[in-house]
């Protein structure tokens, strides 16, 4: 009897996780100018929002009804908010009712497809900033380049709103990998550009955007 009860509890938990994944969205490539109230107003056009959590350049929005989440993904993915082309996808990569995958674009400039099924990326404080990266570099290319230095958790590329130059951010799982990446790649050539690499706290990312 206890085993049957535990299986039922685990089944309910799995169902709750699946339900949440159909209503919770991940919004990437947000401009630093975007405020939470503005984001809520934009997404509230498609249904009642349960929660909106804005980070430094991404956010999570959760709807009460999965049909509203479907509409938001369909209508807002690839649109421009505050001068930045955003990506909107299901936070855990769960397909919508129409079979559509959770997001078509891994970056605001259409620079590649973020893998479906992995949800929002892991984050770390072991972060580097890469300046003067090639304009056509994708976040996947950046992560691949720095996997030579260690285990990469997160990578992103963006345009500096003040200078118009492109920069990248890479976060490592381990501190030693971050230091190795700085030592091995700072002031080196990468796809025809000389890149400059330094340790970066969250505040330095916010200042550049």
């Amino acid at each position: 009897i206890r085993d049957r009860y535990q299986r039922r509890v685990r089944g309910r938990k799995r169902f709750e996780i699946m339900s949440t994944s159909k209503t919770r969205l991940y919004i990437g490539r947000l401009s630093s100018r975007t405020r939470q109230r503005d984001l809520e107003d934009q997404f509230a056009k498609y249904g009642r929002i349960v929660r909106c959590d804005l980070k430094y350049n991404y956010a999570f929005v959760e709807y009460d009804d999965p049909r509203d989440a479907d509409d938001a993904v369909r209508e807002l993915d690839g649109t421009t908010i505050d001068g930045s082309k955003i990506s909107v996808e299901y936070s855990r990569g769960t397909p919508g009712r129409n079979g559509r995958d959770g997001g078509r674009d891994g970056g605001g400039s259409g620079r590649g497809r973020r893998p479906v099924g992995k949800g929002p990326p892991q984050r770390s404080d072991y972060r580097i900033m890469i300046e003067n990266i090639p304009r056509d570099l994708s976040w996947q290319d950046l992560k691949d380049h720095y996997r030579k230095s260690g285990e990469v958790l997160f990578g992103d590329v963006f345009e500096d709103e003040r200078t118009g130059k492109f920069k990248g951010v890479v976060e490592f799982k381990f501190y030693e990998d971050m230091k190795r990446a700085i030592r091995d790649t700072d002031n080196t050539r990468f796809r025809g550009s000389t890149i400059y690499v330094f340790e970066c706290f969250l505040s330095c990312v916010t200042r550049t955007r």
Side-chain angles (χ1 to χ4, degrees):
I1 294 175
R2 179 178 298 178
D3 289 342
R4 287 199 299 271
Y5 173 76
Q6 290 176 342
R7 284 197 296 271
R8 286 198 298 269
V9 170
R10 287 196 296 267
R12 283 198 297 270
K13 288 182 178 178
R14 284 196 296 269
F15 177 78
E16 289 170 0
I17 290 174
M18 290 175 63
S19 299
T20 301
S21 67
K22 291 180 181 179
T23 57
R24 191 167 186 252
L25 303 182
Y26 171 78
I27 299 93
R29 291 305 185 89
L30 289 170
S31 168
S32 61
R33 298 192 300 270
T34 300
R35 298 177 300 174
Q36 179 158 322
R37 180 59 183 272
D38 297 333
L39 194 67
E40 289 176 351
D41 289 345
Q42 188 73 21
F43 279 80
K45 298 175 183 178
Y46 301 93
R48 190 173 79 86
I49 293 176
V50 176
R51 182 181 180 186
C52 180
D53 187 12
L54 177 63
K55 308 297 184 181
Y56 81 93
N57 70 336
Y58 65 96
F60 296 100
V61 171
E62 185 172 352
Y63 284 96
D64 181 60
D65 192 323
R67 294 170 296 183
D68 297 333
D70 282 344
D71 292 340
V73 172
R74 183 174 61 251
E75 298 297 330
L76 293 177
D77 184 29
T79 60
T80 300
I81 296 180
D82 291 324
S84 182
K85 188 178 180 183
I86 66 170
S87 62
V88 182
E89 57 193 69
Y90 296 94
S91 67
R92 291 176 184 167
T94 303
R97 293 173 296 102
N98 56 5
R100 185 184 186 281
D101 62 40
R104 64 170 179 248
D105 190 355
S109 303
R111 297 183 178 192
R113 189 185 188 93
R114 190 176 296 278
V116 175
K118 294 188 177 180
Q122 287 182 269
R123 306 304 301 267
S124 165
D125 290 330
Y126 305 135
R127 181 184 302 108
I128 60 173
M129 173 76 74
I130 306 98
E131 294 187 336
N132 200 41
I133 64 174
R135 180 175 291 270
D136 60 348
L137 190 73
S138 70
W139 60 268
Q140 297 101 322
D141 295 334
L142 193 66
K143 288 182 69 173
D144 289 343
H145 182 65
Y146 278 96
R147 284 193 176 103
K148 303 171 187 175
S149 300
E151 186 172 349
V152 175
L153 297 179
F154 175 83
D156 193 16
V157 296
F158 58 93
E159 184 178 6
D160 190 312
E161 296 175 348
R162 294 197 304 267
T163 67
K165 293 183 178 181
F166 282 82
K167 299 183 178 183
V169 174
V170 172
E171 296 175 6
F172 293 92
K173 185 173 183 178
F174 302 107
Y175 175 81
E176 294 79 8
D177 295 341
M178 177 194 72
K179 300 302 287 187
R180 184 183 304 112
I182 296 172
R183 183 180 65 248
D184 293 347
T185 65
D186 181 35
N187 198 25
T188 60
R189 299 288 290 177
F190 181 40
R191 295 196 178 183
S193 297
T194 300
I195 59 173
Y196 305 98
V197 185
F198 54 90
E199 185 174 355
C200 173
F201 299 99
L202 182 58
S203 59
C204 83
V205 179
T206 304
R207 285 198 303 268
T208 62
R209 293 182 63 82

